[in-house]
Coordinates of all heavy atoms in Angstrom, one line a residue:
S216 N 2.4 -7.3 -8.2 CA 1.1 -7.4 -8.8 C 0.3 -6.2 -8.4 O -0.5 -5.6 -9.3 CB 0.4 -8.6 -8.5 OG 0.0 -8.7 -7.2
G217 N 0.3 -5.8 -7.2 CA -0.4 -4.5 -6.8 C 0.2 -3.3 -7.5 O -0.7 -2.4 -7.8
G218 N 1.5 -3.1 -7.6 CA 2.1 -2.1 -8.3 C 1.7 -2.1 -9.9 O 1.4 -1.0 -10.3
M219 N 1.6 -3.2 -10.4 CA 1.2 -3.2 -11.8 C -0.4 -2.8 -12.0 O -0.7 -2.0 -12.9 CB 1.3 -4.7 -12.4 CG 2.8 -4.9 -12.6 SD 3.3 -6.6 -13.0 CE 1.9 -7.2 -14.1
L220 N -1.1 -3.1 -11.0 CA -2.6 -2.8 -11.0 C -2.6 -1.3 -10.9 O -3.5 -0.6 -11.7 CB -3.4 -3.5 -10.0 CG -3.7 -4.9 -10.3 CD1 -4.4 -5.7 -9.2 CD2 -4.6 -5.1 -11.6
L221 N -1.9 -0.8 -9.9 CA -1.9 0.8 -9.7 C -1.4 1.5 -10.9 O -2.1 2.5 -11.2 CB -1.2 1.1 -8.4 CG -2.0 0.9 -7.1 CD1 -1.0 1.2 -6.0 CD2 -3.2 1.8 -7.0
G222 N -0.4 0.9 -11.5 CA 0.2 1.6 -12.6 C -0.7 1.7 -13.8 O -0.9 2.7 -14.5
T223 N -1.3 0.6 -14.1 CA -2.3 0.5 -15.1 C -3.5 1.4 -15.0 O -3.9 2.1 -15.8 CB -2.8 -1.0 -15.3 OG1 -1.8 -1.9 -15.5 CG2 -3.7 -1.1 -16.5
T224 N -3.9 1.4 -13.8 CA -5.1 2.3 -13.4 C -4.7 3.8 -13.6 O -5.4 4.6 -14.3 CB -5.4 2.1 -11.9 OG1 -5.9 0.8 -11.7 CG2 -6.6 3.1 -11.6
F225 N -3.5 4.2 -13.2 CA -3.1 5.6 -13.3 C -2.8 6.0 -14.8 O -2.9 7.1 -15.2 CB -1.9 5.9 -12.4 CG -2.3 6.2 -11.1 CD1 -1.9 5.4 -10.0 CD2 -3.2 7.3 -10.7 CE1 -2.3 5.5 -8.7 CE2 -3.6 7.4 -9.4 CZ -3.1 6.5 -8.3
I226 N -2.2 5.0 -15.6 CA -1.9 5.2 -17.0 C -3.3 5.6 -17.7 O -3.3 6.4 -18.5 CB -1.2 4.0 -17.6 CG1 0.2 4.0 -17.2 CG2 -1.3 4.1 -19.1 CD1 1.1 2.8 -17.6
H227 N -4.4 4.9 -17.3 CA -5.7 5.1 -17.9 C -6.4 6.2 -17.3 O -7.2 6.9 -18.0 CB -6.5 3.8 -17.9 CG -6.0 2.8 -18.9 ND1 -6.1 2.8 -20.1 CD2 -5.3 1.6 -18.5 CE1 -5.5 1.7 -20.7 NE2 -5.0 1.0 -19.7
L228 N -6.0 6.5 -16.1 CA -6.8 7.6 -15.5 C -6.4 9.1 -15.7 O -7.1 10.0 -16.0 CB -6.7 7.3 -13.9 CG -7.4 8.3 -12.9 CD1 -9.0 8.0 -13.1 CD2 -7.1 8.1 -11.6
F229 N -5.0 9.2 -15.9 CA -4.4 10.6 -16.1 C -5.0 11.2 -17.4 O -5.4 12.4 -17.3 CB -2.9 10.6 -16.2 CG -2.3 10.7 -14.7 CD1 -1.5 9.7 -14.1 CD2 -2.4 11.9 -14.0 CE1 -1.0 9.8 -12.9 CE2 -1.8 12.0 -12.8 CZ -1.1 11.0 -12.3
P230 N -5.0 10.7 -18.5 CA -5.5 11.4 -19.6 C -7.0 11.8 -19.5 O -7.4 12.8 -19.9 CB -5.3 10.4 -20.8 CG -4.3 9.4 -20.4 CD -4.4 9.4 -18.9
E231 N -7.8 11.0 -19.0 CA -9.1 11.3 -18.8 C -9.5 12.4 -17.9 O -10.2 13.3 -18.1 CB -10.0 10.2 -18.3 CG -10.1 8.9 -19.4 CD -10.7 7.8 -18.9 OE1 -11.6 7.9 -18.0 OE2 -10.6 6.7 -19.4
V232 N -8.6 12.4 -16.8 CA -8.7 13.5 -15.8 C -8.3 14.8 -16.4 O -8.9 15.9 -16.2 CB -8.0 13.2 -14.4 CG1 -7.8 14.4 -13.6 CG2 -8.7 12.0 -13.8
A233 N -7.2 14.8 -17.2 CA -6.7 16.0 -17.8 C -7.7 16.5 -18.7 O -7.9 17.7 -18.8 CB -5.4 15.6 -18.5
E234 N -8.3 15.6 -19.6 CA -9.2 16.1 -20.4 C -10.6 16.8 -19.8 O -11.0 17.8 -20.3 CB -9.7 15.0 -21.3 CG -10.7 15.3 -22.5 CD -11.1 14.0 -23.3 OE1 -10.2 13.2 -23.4 OE2 -12.3 14.0 -23.6
E235 N -11.0 16.1 -18.8 CA -12.2 16.6 -18.1 C -11.7 17.9 -17.3 O -12.6 19.0 -17.3 CB -12.7 15.6 -16.9 CG -13.3 14.5 -17.6 CD -14.7 14.8 -18.4 OE1 -15.4 15.7 -17.9 OE2 -14.9 14.4 -19.4
A236 N -10.6 18.1 -16.8 CA -10.2 19.3 -16.2 C -10.1 20.4 -17.1 O -10.5 21.6 -16.8 CB -8.9 19.1 -15.4
N237 N -9.5 20.2 -18.3 CA -9.4 21.2 -19.3 C -10.8 21.5 -19.8 O -11.0 22.9 -20.0 CB -8.7 20.7 -20.5 CG -7.1 20.6 -20.2 OD1 -6.6 21.3 -19.3 ND2 -6.3 19.8 -21.0
S238 N -11.7 20.7 -20.0 CA -13.0 21.1 -20.5 C -13.7 21.9 -19.3 O -14.4 22.9 -19.7 CB -13.9 19.9 -20.8 OG -14.2 19.1 -19.7
F239 N -13.5 21.6 -18.1 CA -14.1 22.3 -17.0 C -13.6 23.8 -17.0 O -14.2 24.7 -16.8 CB -13.9 21.7 -15.7 CG -14.3 22.4 -14.5 CD1 -15.7 22.5 -14.1 CD2 -13.4 23.1 -13.7 CE1 -16.1 23.2 -13.0 CE2 -13.9 23.8 -12.6 CZ -15.2 23.8 -12.3
R240 N -12.2 23.9 -17.2 CA -11.6 25.1 -17.2 C -12.2 26.1 -18.3 O -12.3 27.3 -18.1 CB -10.1 25.1 -17.4 CG -9.3 24.9 -16.1 CD -7.8 25.1 -16.3 NE -7.4 24.0 -17.1 CZ -6.3 23.3 -16.9 NH1 -5.6 23.7 -15.9 NH2 -5.8 22.4 -17.7
C241 N -12.3 25.4 -19.5 CA -12.8 26.1 -20.6 C -14.3 26.7 -20.4 O -14.7 27.8 -20.7 CB -12.9 25.3 -21.9 SG -11.2 25.1 -22.5
N242 N -15.1 25.7 -19.7 CA -16.5 26.1 -19.5 C -16.7 27.2 -18.3 O -17.5 28.0 -18.4 CB -17.4 24.8 -19.1 CG -17.5 23.8 -20.1 OD1 -17.4 24.2 -21.2 ND2 -17.8 22.6 -19.7
V243 N -15.7 27.2 -17.5 CA -15.7 28.2 -16.4 C -15.1 29.6 -16.8 O -15.3 30.6 -16.3 CB -15.2 27.6 -15.1 CG1 -15.1 28.6 -14.0 CG2 -15.9 26.3 -14.6
G244 N -14.2 29.4 -17.8 CA -13.4 30.7 -18.2 C -12.1 30.9 -17.6 O -11.6 32.0 -17.8
I245 N -11.5 29.8 -17.0 CA -10.2 30.0 -16.5 C -9.2 29.9 -17.7 O -9.3 28.8 -18.4 CB -10.0 28.8 -15.4 CG1 -11.0 29.0 -14.2 CG2 -8.7 29.0 -14.9 CD1 -11.0 27.9 -13.3
K246 N -8.2 30.8 -17.6 CA -7.3 30.7 -18.7 C -5.9 30.1 -18.3 O -4.9 30.1 -19.2 CB -7.0 32.2 -19.1 CG -8.2 32.9 -19.5 CD -8.6 32.7 -21.1 CE -9.6 33.6 -21.5 NZ -10.6 32.9 -22.3
S247 N -5.8 29.6 -17.2 CA -4.5 28.9 -16.7 C -4.3 27.6 -17.4 O -5.3 26.9 -17.7 CB -4.6 28.8 -15.3 OG -3.5 28.1 -14.8
A248 N -3.0 27.3 -17.8 CA -2.6 26.0 -18.3 C -2.1 25.1 -17.2 O -1.4 24.1 -17.4 CB -1.6 26.2 -19.3
Y249 N -2.3 25.5 -15.9 CA -1.7 24.7 -14.8 C -2.4 23.3 -14.8 O -3.7 23.2 -14.8 CB -1.9 25.4 -13.4 CG -1.1 24.7 -12.4 CD1 0.2 25.0 -12.2 CD2 -1.8 23.9 -11.3 CE1 0.9 24.4 -11.2 CE2 -1.1 23.4 -10.4 CZ 0.3 23.6 -10.3 OH 1.0 23.0 -9.3
P250 N -1.7 22.2 -14.6 CA -2.4 20.8 -14.6 C -3.0 20.4 -13.3 O -2.6 19.7 -12.4 CB -1.1 19.9 -14.9 CG 0.0 20.6 -14.3 CD -0.3 22.1 -14.5
V251 N -4.3 21.1 -13.2 CA -5.0 20.9 -11.9 C -5.4 19.4 -11.8 O -5.5 18.9 -10.7 CB -6.3 21.8 -11.9 CG1 -7.2 21.6 -10.8 CG2 -5.8 23.3 -12.0
G252 N -5.9 18.8 -12.8 CA -6.4 17.4 -12.8 C -5.3 16.4 -12.2 O -5.5 15.7 -11.3
E253 N -4.1 16.7 -12.7 CA -3.0 15.7 -12.2 C -2.7 16.1 -10.8 O -2.3 15.2 -10.0 CB -1.8 16.0 -13.2 CG -1.9 15.3 -14.5 CD -2.6 16.3 -15.7 OE1 -3.2 17.3 -15.2 OE2 -2.4 15.9 -16.7
L254 N -2.7 17.3 -10.5 CA -2.5 17.8 -9.1 C -3.5 17.1 -8.2 O -3.1 16.7 -7.1 CB -2.5 19.3 -9.0 CG -2.3 19.9 -7.5 CD1 -1.0 19.7 -7.0 CD2 -2.7 21.3 -7.5
L255 N -4.8 17.1 -8.6 CA -5.8 16.6 -7.8 C -5.6 15.1 -7.4 O -5.8 14.5 -6.4 CB -7.2 16.9 -8.3 CG -7.6 18.3 -8.3 CD1 -9.0 18.4 -9.0 CD2 -7.7 18.7 -6.8
I256 N -5.2 14.3 -8.6 CA -4.9 12.9 -8.4 C -3.7 12.7 -7.4 O -3.9 11.8 -6.5 CB -4.6 12.3 -9.8 CG1 -5.8 12.2 -10.7 CG2 -4.0 10.8 -9.6 CD1 -5.6 11.7 -12.0
C257 N -2.6 13.5 -7.6 CA -1.5 13.3 -6.7 C -1.9 13.7 -5.3 O -1.4 12.9 -4.3 CB -0.3 14.1 -7.2 SG 0.3 13.4 -8.7
A258 N -2.6 14.7 -5.0 CA -3.1 15.1 -3.7 C -4.0 14.1 -3.2 O -3.9 13.8 -1.9 CB -3.8 16.5 -3.8
G259 N -4.9 13.4 -3.9 CA -5.7 12.4 -3.4 C -4.9 11.2 -3.0 O -5.3 10.6 -1.9
L260 N -3.9 10.8 -3.8 CA -3.2 9.6 -3.4 C -2.4 10.0 -2.1 O -2.3 9.0 -1.2 CB -2.2 9.3 -4.6 CG -1.3 8.1 -4.4 CD1 -2.2 6.8 -4.3 CD2 -0.4 8.1 -5.5
I261 N -1.7 11.0 -2.0 CA -1.0 11.4 -0.9 C -1.9 11.5 0.3 O -1.5 11.2 1.5 CB -0.2 12.7 -1.1 CG1 0.9 12.4 -2.1 CG2 0.4 13.2 0.2 CD1 1.7 13.6 -2.6
S262 N -3.0 12.1 0.2 CA -3.9 12.2 1.4 C -4.4 10.8 1.9 O -4.4 10.6 3.1 CB -5.1 13.0 1.1 OG -6.0 12.5 0.0
V263 N -4.6 9.9 0.9 CA -4.9 8.5 1.4 C -3.8 7.8 2.2 O -4.1 7.1 3.1 CB -5.4 7.7 0.2 CG1 -5.4 6.1 0.4 CG2 -6.8 8.2 -0.4
M264 N -2.6 8.1 1.6 CA -1.5 7.5 2.3 C -1.3 8.0 3.7 O -0.9 7.4 4.6 CB -0.2 7.7 1.5 CG 0.0 6.9 0.2 SD 1.1 7.3 -0.9 CE 2.7 7.3 0.0
I265 N -1.5 9.4 3.9 CA -1.4 10.0 5.3 C -2.4 9.6 6.1 O -2.2 9.1 7.4 CB -1.5 11.5 5.0 CG1 -0.2 12.0 4.3 CG2 -1.7 12.2 6.3 CD1 -0.2 13.5 3.9
I266 N -3.7 9.4 5.6 CA -4.8 8.9 6.5 C -4.5 7.5 6.9 O -4.7 7.1 8.1 CB -6.1 8.9 5.6 CG1 -6.6 10.5 5.6 CG2 -7.3 8.2 6.5 CD1 -7.7 10.6 4.7
E267 N -4.0 6.6 6.0 CA -3.7 5.3 6.3 C -2.5 5.2 7.3 O -2.7 4.4 8.3 CB -3.2 4.5 5.0 CG -2.9 3.1 5.2 CD -2.4 2.4 4.1 OE1 -2.4 3.0 2.9 OE2 -1.9 1.3 4.2
Q268 N -1.6 6.0 7.2 CA -0.6 6.1 8.4 C -1.1 6.5 9.7 O -0.8 5.9 10.6 CB 0.5 7.1 7.9 CG 1.9 6.9 8.6 CD 2.4 5.5 8.4 OE1 2.3 5.0 7.3 NE2 3.1 4.9 9.3
F269 N -2.0 7.5 9.7 CA -2.6 7.9 11.0 C -3.4 6.8 11.6 O -3.4 6.6 12.8 CB -3.5 9.1 10.9 CG -2.8 10.5 10.8 CD1 -2.8 11.2 9.7 CD2 -1.9 10.8 11.9 CE1 -2.2 12.5 9.8 CE2 -1.3 12.0 12.0 CZ -1.4 12.9 10.9
V270 N -4.2 6.0 10.8 CA -5.0 5.0 11.3 C -4.1 3.9 11.8 O -4.4 3.3 12.9 CB -6.0 4.5 10.1 CG1 -6.6 3.0 10.5 CG2 -7.0 5.5 9.9
H271 N -3.0 3.6 11.1 CA -2.1 2.7 11.6 C -1.5 2.9 12.9 O -1.4 2.1 13.8 CB -1.0 2.3 10.6 CG 0.0 1.3 10.9 ND1 -0.4 -0.1 11.0 CD2 1.3 1.3 11.3 CE1 0.7 -0.8 11.4 NE2 1.7 0.0 11.5
E272 N -1.1 4.2 13.1 CA -0.5 4.7 14.3 C -1.6 4.7 15.4 O -1.3 4.2 16.6 CB 0.1 6.1 14.2 CG 1.3 6.2 13.4 CD 2.5 5.3 14.0 OE1 2.7 5.3 15.2 OE2 3.1 4.6 13.1
Y273 N -2.8 5.1 15.2 CA -3.8 5.1 16.1 C -4.2 3.6 16.7 O -4.3 3.3 17.9 CB -5.2 5.7 15.6 CG -6.4 5.6 16.5 CD1 -6.4 6.4 17.7 CD2 -7.3 4.6 16.3 CE1 -7.5 6.2 18.5 CE2 -8.4 4.6 17.2 CZ -8.5 5.4 18.2 OH -9.5 5.4 19.2
E274 N -4.2 2.6 15.7 CA -4.3 1.3 16.0 C -3.2 0.8 17.0 O -3.4 0.1 18.0 CB -4.3 0.4 14.8 CG -4.5 -1.1 15.0 CD -4.5 -1.9 13.8 OE1 -3.7 -1.5 12.8 OE2 -5.2 -2.9 13.7
N275 N -2.0 1.1 16.7 CA -0.9 0.8 17.7 C -1.1 1.4 19.1 O -0.8 0.8 20.0 CB 0.5 1.3 17.2 CG 1.0 0.3 16.0 OD1 0.5 -0.8 16.0 ND2 2.0 0.8 15.2
V276 N -1.6 2.7 19.2 CA -1.8 3.3 20.4 C -3.0 2.7 21.1 O -2.8 2.4 22.3 CB -2.1 4.9 20.2 CG1 -2.5 5.5 21.4 CG2 -0.9 5.6 19.6
L277 N -4.0 2.3 20.3 CA -5.2 1.7 20.9 C -4.7 0.4 21.6 O -5.3 0.0 22.7 CB -6.2 1.5 19.9 CG -7.5 0.9 20.3 CD1 -8.3 2.1 21.1 CD2 -8.5 0.8 19.1
H278 N -3.9 -0.4 20.9 CA -3.5 -1.7 21.4 C -2.3 -1.7 22.4 O -1.8 -2.7 22.7 CB -3.3 -2.7 20.3 CG -4.4 -3.0 19.5 ND1 -5.5 -3.8 20.0 CD2 -4.9 -2.7 18.3 CE1 -6.4 -3.9 19.0 NE2 -6.0 -3.2 18.1
G279 N -1.9 -0.5 22.8 CA -0.8 -0.3 23.6 C 0.6 -0.7 23.1 O 1.5 -1.1 23.7
G280 N 0.7 -0.7 21.8 CA 1.8 -1.1 21.1 C 2.2 -2.6 21.1 O 3.3 -3.0 20.7
R281 N 1.4 -3.4 21.4 CA 1.4 -4.8 21.5 C 1.4 -5.4 20.1 O 1.9 -6.5 19.9 CB 0.3 -5.4 22.4 CG 0.3 -5.0 23.8 CD -0.8 -5.9 24.5 NE -2.0 -5.8 23.7 CZ -3.2 -5.4 24.2 NH1 -3.2 -5.0 25.6 NH2 -4.2 -5.3 23.6
E282 N 0.7 -4.8 19.2 CA 0.4 -5.5 17.9 C 1.6 -5.1 16.9 O 1.5 -4.4 16.1 CB -1.0 -4.9 17.3 CG -2.2 -5.2 18.1 CD -2.4 -6.8 18.1 OE1 -2.2 -7.4 17.0 OE2 -2.7 -7.3 19.2
K283 N 2.7 -5.8 17.2 CA 3.7 -5.6 16.3 C 3.7 -6.7 15.2 O 3.8 -7.9 15.6 CB 5.1 -5.6 17.0 CG 5.3 -4.6 18.0 CD 5.4 -3.3 17.3 CE 5.7 -2.1 18.4 NZ 5.8 -0.9 17.8
H284 N 3.5 -6.2 14.0 CA 3.5 -7.3 12.9 C 4.7 -7.3 12.1 O 5.2 -6.2 11.8 CB 2.3 -6.9 12.0 CG 1.0 -6.8 12.5 ND1 0.2 -7.9 12.9 CD2 0.3 -5.7 13.0 CE1 -0.9 -7.5 13.5 NE2 -0.9 -6.2 13.5
K285 N 5.2 -8.4 12.0 CA 6.5 -8.6 11.3 C 6.2 -8.6 9.8 O 5.1 -9.1 9.4 CB 7.2 -9.8 11.7 CG 6.5 -11.0 11.2 CD 7.5 -12.2 11.6 CE 6.8 -13.5 11.1 NZ 7.6 -14.7 11.3
P286 N 7.0 -7.9 9.0 CA 6.8 -7.9 7.6 C 6.9 -9.3 7.0 O 7.5 -10.2 7.5 CB 7.9 -7.1 7.0 CG 8.5 -6.4 8.1 CD 8.2 -7.2 9.4
L287 N 6.2 -9.5 5.8 CA 6.2 -10.8 5.1 C 7.5 -11.1 4.6 O 7.8 -12.3 4.3 CB 5.1 -10.9 4.1 CG 3.6 -11.0 4.7 CD1 2.6 -10.9 3.4 CD2 3.4 -12.2 5.4
C288 N 8.2 -10.1 4.3 CA 9.5 -10.4 3.5 C 10.7 -10.8 4.5 O 11.7 -11.3 4.0 CB 10.0 -9.1 2.7 SG 10.4 -7.8 3.8
I289 N 10.4 -10.9 5.7 CA 11.4 -11.4 6.7 C 11.0 -12.8 7.1 O 9.9 -13.1 7.6 CB 11.5 -10.4 8.0 CG1 11.9 -9.1 7.5 CG2 12.3 -11.2 9.0 CD1 11.8 -8.1 8.6

Side-chain angles (χ1 to χ4, degrees):
S216 64
M219 287 172 35
L220 285 173
L221 276 174
T223 302
T224 300
F225 282 117
I226 284 174
H227 290 288
L228 186 67
F229 271 115
E231 292 178 27
V232 169
E234 183 180 323
E235 289 296 320
N237 287 336
S238 68
F239 176 75
R240 273 194 294 228
C241 291
N242 291 340
V243 174
I245 299 173
K246 303 273 188 224
S247 174
Y249 193 78
V251 176
E253 290 86 345
L254 176 68
L255 289 174
I256 289 175
C257 291
L260 182 64
I261 290 171
S262 65
V263 166
M264 290 170 51
I265 290 171
I266 290 169
E267 182 180 350
Q268 198 64 33
F269 277 121
V270 167
H271 183 68
E272 290 300 319
Y273 176 74
E274 183 181 31
N275 280 344
V276 169
L277 188 65
H278 292 288
R281 296 183 312 232
E282 297 293 319
K283 296 290 183 191
H284 301 285
K285 68 177 184 178
L287 285 176
C288 60
I289 298 175

